[in-house]
Amino acid sequence: MKSSHIFASGALALVIGTGAVLADPIRDAIDARQAQFTLFAYNIGPLVQMAQGDIDYDSEIAQRSADNLAALTHTHQDRHWPEGSDNASVDNTRALPSIWEDAEDFASKFADLRAATAAFQEAAGQDLASLQGALGPVGNACAACHDANRAEE
Amino acid sequence: MRRVIALLALVGLIALGGWVWLTRPVPLEEDALAGLEGDAARGEAVFWAAGCASCHAAPETEDEERLVLAGGQRFESPFGTFVAPNISPDPEHGIGAWDFEAFANAMLRGISPEGQHYFPAFPYTAYLRADPQDVADLWAYWQDLPHSEAPDAPHEIGFPFNIRRNLGVWKRLYMDDGWAVAGDLTEQETRGRYLAEALAHCGECHTPRDALGGLDRTRWLAGAPNPAGDGRIPDIRPGTLGWSQSEIAGYLQSGFTPEFDVAGGSMANVVRSLSQLPREDLDAIAAYLLRVEG
């Protein structure tokens, strides 16, 4: 009984140890940035639905969602985009190597998104027309970077 | 021997005559445009529905810049690379010296004012279904568009595809003015079909092509390889897409998918144009798309 116990905990240690050896910082970074884009999409959802007339305009939800979008653009991005996490190097990412080849352009596109979400934050809570007017530039900022730096599905 | 040569010459002449006849440009009938008066205000909606700016605006332009039809965007294909020309109303570098008849023959017949065939990268195979009144309205709207002095870049098309005259045969094979989606349609679906098949030319990218570059209309909107290389142009038949009518219309209006992702690639340009249309037209396109088989 005792010896089987020792054997079991040895096996367990081996499994955990192997897991630690296999920990993949590139994969972790990709998971983190994909989670970030999920947050973008989740917060822009009600704003798009209001702009399209699918749900009623609610200034409080609009303001809070726009606040979140703007806040997300202020997170530091450096650890989300390590070298070697492009779609030519690893699977399960659509991040094109252009992000690293022209890092300056990538940074400037992210800055464009920050500016568009800041303007949107000013407008979204005012009324529906203001929200609709300021949503376009946010979408354009998303699309500009997807155009340049994201592979087609 | 002499008779053989004479016979060969005769056969050659007949073949040449057949080629000349088969490949000749066939312009609009003389009275096709009779009595049409263009309305520039109505023409603006035609402009956005037909997606002129999606291809003819300079690369990477937004907002007001998209009214400058300077050309310069490059379109890769298995036959070579097409470069969109300047079609702004500038009389020297664009098409400002044309008259309405020349414009209508370009749009509806794919023929230049010099009587040459245009390459079907210019989607006259869709526009040929357009109401001549819409073309007249579009031409009226055109007159006030900004001028560009950008020079045209040549297409990069290899032999034998660069021989425009041969396109006469291609046109005989593929200039089909029928509708891809037939049957009983509601008024809204019929409007959507007109917008999608005659003006917005969705099928040009979303329908696969055969070896000669003609659309395979039996697989209408079933998706196709991306001629620019990466990935595929998606299958947008309702069974595959799975979006509701308001989700499709909303996407065309805002560029956001039902998952609130944002279109990139060439579809971003299409949305920039279509989003200028009234919502009821986008609802109509969506209603039509839900009627596509598959």
Side-chain angles (χ1 to χ4, degrees), chain A residues 41-42 44-46 48-49 51-52 54 87 94 96 109 132 135 138-140 142-144 146-147 150-153, chain B residues 60 62-63 226 230-232 234 246-247 249-251 253-256 259-266 268 272 279:
Chain A
Y42 184 70
I44 210 160
V48 172
Q49 289 176 310
Q52 290 176 180
D54 295 335
N87 74 336
R94 291 158 71 193
L96 290 171
K109 286 190 161 66
Q132 286 167 325
L135 183 62
V138 175
N140 285 341
C142 300
H146 292 171
D147 261 356
R150 186 173 73 166
E152 305 268 346
E153 264 176 301
Chain B
E60 298 187 23
E62 284 183 20
D63 305 325
N226 181 358
D230 249 5
R232 283 182 69 81
S246 72
E247 285 173 337
Y251 170 73
Q253 182 184 351
S254 68
F256 287 97
E259 295 82 37
F260 307 110
D261 189 4
V262 181
S266 42
R272 285 187 190 109
R279 175 68 187 228

Side-chain angles (χ1 to χ4, degrees), chain B:
Chain B
M1 187 64 191
R2 209 181 261 170
R3 282 173 107 170
V4 172
I5 292 173
L7 188 68
L8 279 177
L10 186 67
V11 168
L13 262 179
I14 291 170
L16 186 68
W19 179 81
V20 166
W21 186 81
L22 271 175
T23 59
R24 78 192 195 286
V26 186
L28 291 164
E29 305 279 332
E30 253 176 50
D31 58 355
L33 307 172
L36 290 177
E37 291 282 343
D39 175 339
R42 286 197 66 243
E44 183 178 3
V46 180
F47 179 83
W48 295 120
C52 313
S54 303
C55 294
H56 286 279
E60 298 187 23
T61 43
E62 284 183 20
D63 305 325
E64 292 295 299
E65 298 168 329
R66 288 169 47 74
L67 294 175
V68 188
L69 303 177
Q73 287 188 52
R74 297 168 61 81
F75 299 92
E76 291 168 39
S77 83
F79 311 101
T81 298
F82 299 97
V83 187
N86 179 340
I87 56 167
S88 78
D90 187 88
E92 195 181 335
H93 301 92
I95 62 170
W98 290 15
D99 59 12
F100 172 51
E101 190 186 349
F103 185 71
N105 268 305
M107 289 270 302
L108 303 174
R109 289 293 178 270
I111 300 172
S112 75
E114 296 78 33
Q116 280 199 316
H117 296 299
Y118 284 122
F119 290 113
F122 172 37
Y124 51 80
T125 45
Y127 295 153
L128 68 93
R129 291 175 197 82
D131 180 349
Q133 180 62 55
D134 277 355
V135 181
D137 293 342
L138 179 58
W139 183 237
Y141 174 70
W142 214 271
Q143 305 313 313
D144 292 326
L145 289 176
H147 291 216
S148 160
E149 295 184 357
D152 285 347
H155 299 307
E156 294 156 23
I157 306 298
F159 182 83
F161 305 113
N162 58 349
I163 304 192
R164 288 177 182 267
R165 182 84 196 194
N166 286 333
L167 286 165
V169 178
W170 190 94
K171 284 173 154 180
R172 283 175 185 278
L173 292 171
Y174 298 111
M175 291 278 275
D176 174 351
D177 64 1
W179 301 102
V181 175
D184 277 342
L185 300 186
T186 65
E187 195 180 322
Q188 186 187 42
E189 289 160 356
T190 306
R191 171 69 181 160
R193 179 176 70 179
Y194 176 73
L195 289 166
E197 292 194 25
L199 297 181
H201 57 278
C202 314
E204 295 293 311
C205 292
H206 287 281
T207 298
R209 293 175 184 275
D210 63 20
L212 289 175
L215 293 180
D216 176 359
R217 293 163 67 85
T218 64
R219 290 188 288 158
W220 189 246
L221 304 183
N226 181 358
D230 249 5
R232 283 182 69 81
I233 310 286
D235 180 342
I236 53 171
R237 295 175 297 178
T240 315
L241 192 62
W243 295 2
S244 72
Q245 185 180 347
S246 72
E247 285 173 337
I248 296 170
Y251 170 73
L252 297 176
Q253 182 184 351
S254 68
F256 287 97
T257 69
E259 295 82 37
F260 307 110
D261 189 4
V262 181
S266 42
M267 194 61 198
N269 268 341
V270 175
V271 169
R272 285 187 190 109
S273 291
L274 289 181
S275 61
Q276 308 290 321
L277 293 182
R279 175 68 187 228
E280 56 264 31
D281 275 348
L282 302 180
D283 286 334
I285 293 174
Y288 157 80
L289 283 176
L290 292 174
R291 286 297 303 268
V292 175
E293 268 180 47

